[in-house]
């Protein structure tokens, strides 16, 4: 049963075992933050951790801190922490570079594993950078491969004997539709294709079990549900059985078996370490580690299952309230109605793109932060670590008020900024 009043929401929040985890974050008073799927909020512990890294480790320790403060181990250490959230072993995940760059690395390795096949299979609605990276790699490889884009419902049949790699994002960034990672991975395995999962909108939001699904490769963002900060380093997963098979093309010194032997020839590290390229961005890594810790904290409060249950409850509440209050104003649900096919976000399509953008701007002006995704999507992320039932309730009410009064229809809300 969804709550029928704001008081019901307050009661649910008071009884919520995950409720205390909100205190891990610095969220401005009065702000409703529904954009943690784009940039998670800053954990309270980050300022202190960064200050210590700057004053003590960089300031006084200087170059010695690569050893003394374990800077050199950060990619492996944070990788091992993220592994706990995505059903991987500690030595199957490493933190490095951006999601885009990591995708380039693992897609390269995947294609080399299937030299007799030439198709990369994906969806036309996949996040653009994923498609762009595949296009760029195909060009680098001489144009022998094809990026084949098929609609979601046709994916199963499209995984045939010519498919080298199935490259998909588990949760659609626009609609929040969640693919069946297990079923598609099984289908790919049966067809001899390699799977590459983009977990940008999965990791930290709900349970993912890569090894139970037999997934081959994965990548994902540090700055979304992992709360690692703007431009945080990303992660990548390589199933242990594939780690020795091939090198990735960005053969930088940090992926060398002995970086500090300064040898002339490249020899890849034996495990996941070969997926590193250059020097890790230490300060960003330290912030990311604190961000990942905020999610690990949930493991002591019912774990990912509790996070998922709360996320579903928040999304259902928001959908119900928006549909009840806004049906007359041209907003239609753009996310799956069935929670099991949804990630941790809810999207509504607006009557047209211009009003959609303006509605989000008007909401932001009232302290409700969501975002707009072209052409016409209003997107609301419900990160269960810190979003409350009252937030979902109040956000729906604010949206209804803006639609009823047409408060969005003002020049300052209609002018688009660089980042939407
Ligand atoms: C956010 C996102 C990215 C971002 O990639 P960057 O390299 O960090 O800019 C990639 N893929 C998906 C599916 C995303 O949602």
């Amino acid at each position: 049963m969804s709550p029928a009043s704001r008081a019901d929401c307050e009661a649910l929040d008071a009884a919520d075992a995950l409720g205390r985890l909100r205190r891990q974050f610095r969220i401005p008073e009065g702000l409703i933050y529904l954009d943690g799927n784009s940039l998670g909020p800053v954990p309270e512990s980050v300022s202190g951790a960064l200050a210590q890294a700057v004053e003590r480790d960089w300031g006084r320790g200087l170059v010695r801190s690569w050893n003394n403060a374990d800077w050199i181990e950060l990619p492996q250490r944070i990788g091992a922490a993220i592994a706990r959230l995505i059903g991987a072993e500690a030595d199957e995940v490493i933190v490095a570079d951006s999601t885009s760059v990591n995708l380039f690395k693992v897609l390269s390795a995947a294609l080399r594993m299937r030299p007799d096949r030439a198709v990369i299979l994906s969806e036309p609605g996949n996040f653009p950078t994923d498609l762009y990276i595949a296009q760029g790699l195909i060009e680098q490889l001489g144009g022998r491969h094809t990026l084949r884009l098929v609609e979601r419902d046709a994916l199963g049949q499209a995984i045939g004997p010519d498919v080298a790699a199935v490259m998909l994002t588990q949760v659609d960034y626009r609609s929040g539709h969640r693919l069946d990672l297990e079923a598609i991975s099984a289908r790919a395995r049966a067809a001899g294709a390699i799977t590459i999962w983009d977990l940008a909108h999965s990791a930290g939001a709900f349970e993912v079990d890569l090894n139970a699904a037999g997934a081959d490769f994965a990548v994902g963002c540090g700055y979304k549900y992992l709360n690692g900060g703007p431009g945080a380093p990303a992660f990548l997963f390589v199933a242990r059985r594939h780690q020795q098979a091939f090198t990735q093309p960005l053969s930088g010194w940090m992926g060398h078996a002995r970086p500090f032997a300064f040898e002339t020839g490249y020899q890849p590290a034996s495990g996941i370490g070969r997926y590193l390229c250059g020097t890790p961005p230490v300060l960003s890594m330290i912030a990311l580690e604190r961000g990942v810790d905020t999610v690990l904290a949930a493991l002591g409060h019912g774990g990912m299952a509790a996070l998922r249950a709360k996320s579903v409850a928040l999304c259902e509440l928001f959908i119900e309230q928006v549909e009840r209050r806004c049906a007359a104003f041209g907003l239609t649900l753009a996310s799956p109605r069935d929670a099991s096919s949804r990630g941790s976000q809810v999207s509504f399509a607006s009557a047209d793109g211009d009003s959609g953008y303006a509605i989000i701007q008007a909401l932001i002006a009232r302290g409700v932060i969501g975002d707009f995704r072209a052409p016409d999507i209003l997107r609301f992320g419900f990160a269960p670590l810190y979003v409350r039932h009252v937030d979902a309730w109040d956000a729906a009410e604010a949206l209804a008020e803006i639609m009823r009064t047409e408060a969005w229809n003002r020049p300052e809300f209609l002018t688009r900024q660089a980042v939407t």
Side-chain angles (χ1 to χ4, degrees):
M1 263 301 283
S2 245
S5 69
R6 194 175 192 282
D8 286 354
C9 292
E10 286 174 341
L12 285 171
D13 289 328
D16 176 13
L18 295 169
R20 72 187 62 177
L21 297 178
R22 178 179 163 89
R23 283 181 234 142
Q24 298 184 103
F25 300 95
R26 193 174 295 172
I27 299 173
E29 191 61 37
L31 192 80
I32 298 177
Y33 194 60
L34 305 181
D35 214 2
N37 49 325
S38 186
L39 175 66
V42 64
E44 285 287 357
S45 62
V46 162
S47 313
L50 285 178
Q52 176 172 304
V54 170
E55 301 298 330
R56 187 191 68 185
D57 301 336
W58 182 13
R60 294 193 291 279
L62 287 158
V63 74
R64 294 168 290 190
S65 290
W66 283 105
N67 293 312
N68 297 345
D70 265 340
W71 285 350
I72 199 68
E73 284 297 321
L74 280 164
Q76 282 84 359
R77 191 165 83 221
I78 307 172
I82 294 172
R84 298 175 63 191
L85 303 173
I86 58 175
E89 298 295 328
D91 61 359
E92 292 178 313
V93 180
I94 200 154
V95 170
D97 304 312
S98 63
T99 303
S100 305
V101 173
N102 288 338
L103 184 61
F104 183 85
K105 292 186 273 192
V106 300
L107 183 58
S108 301
L111 294 182
R112 291 198 57 191
M113 290 171 63
R114 291 291 178 271
D116 51 341
R117 300 178 176 211
V119 173
I120 302 168
L121 183 69
S122 194
E123 279 189 275
N126 197 351
F127 192 78
T129 204
D130 298 47
L131 303 179
Y132 301 161
I133 288 290
Q135 291 164 30
L137 179 59
I138 287 171
E139 203 173 310
Q140 286 302 311
L141 296 177
R144 193 174 71 75
H145 296 83
T146 312
L147 176 61
R148 185 180 296 160
L149 303 178
V150 304
E151 295 295 343
R152 184 189 305 141
D153 295 339
L155 278 172
Q157 299 120 271
I159 307 177
D162 55 345
V163 174
V166 179
M167 180 192 82
L168 294 167
T169 298
Q170 188 187 12
V171 176
D172 184 285
Y173 74 103
R174 276 205 193 89
S175 68
H177 185 279
R178 180 164 80 153
L179 291 173
D180 187 337
L181 186 148
E182 287 226 350
I184 294 173
S185 298
R187 174 83 191 87
R189 193 165 51 254
I194 301 292
T195 44
I196 300 167
W197 288 102
D198 188 331
L199 303 178
H201 296 276
S202 309
F206 52 82
E207 182 159 34
V208 177
D209 200 337
L210 290 173
N211 280 334
D216 298 302
F217 295 92
V219 296
C221 288
Y223 49 78
K224 292 174 178 166
Y225 293 98
L226 296 179
N227 309 311
F235 66 87
L236 67 85
F237 158 88
V238 181
R240 202 184 277 150
R241 63 186 177 280
H242 299 321
Q243 288 178 2
Q244 316 301 21
F246 289 98
T247 55
Q248 50 92 5
L250 302 181
S251 45
W253 72 310
M254 282 293 153
H256 193 281
R258 294 167 299 279
F260 289 91
F262 299 103
E263 292 162 13
T264 308
Y266 182 72
Q267 189 185 332
S270 66
I272 189 83
R274 67 175 56 187
Y275 282 83
L276 293 178
C277 179
T279 305
V282 169
L283 298 179
S284 298
M285 292 256 178
I286 285 168
L288 171 61
E289 187 166 41
R290 297 308 167 127
V292 173
D293 280 347
T294 64
V295 187
L296 291 179
L299 300 183
H301 293 77
M304 299 310 285
L307 276 185
R308 174 65 182 165
K310 184 175 172 192
S311 153
V312 169
L314 294 171
C315 290
E316 300 274 287
L317 164 60
F318 187 70
I319 291 170
E320 186 178 315
Q321 290 303 318
V322 172
E323 290 195 322
R324 174 172 301 169
R325 297 159 189 256
C326 300
F329 307 125
L331 295 186
T332 50
L333 184 65
S335 295
R337 195 166 289 283
D338 173 13
S340 67
S341 302
R342 237 181 10 238
S344 199
Q345 71 178 66
V346 173
S347 300
F348 282 91
S350 56
D352 63 82
D354 286 339
S355 69
Y357 179 79
I359 292 162
I360 288 291
Q361 294 309 307
L363 270 173
I364 292 172
R366 285 176 192 225
V368 179
I369 300 188
D371 63 23
F372 174 78
R373 285 293 172 263
D376 59 0
I377 294 293
L378 318 183
R379 196 172 71 150
F380 303 94
F382 290 87
L385 269 183
Y386 48 84
V387 177
R388 301 164 298 192
H389 295 82
V390 285
D391 295 329
W393 182 274
D394 292 346
E397 197 163 77
L399 179 56
E401 165 81 10
I402 284 166
M403 299 309 293
R404 191 167 55 242
T405 60
E406 290 196 22
W408 55 269
N409 197 1
R410 303 211 332 225
E412 71 264 34
F413 297 144
L414 287 156
T415 312
R416 293 204 194 186
Q417 294 182 289
V419 175
T420 64

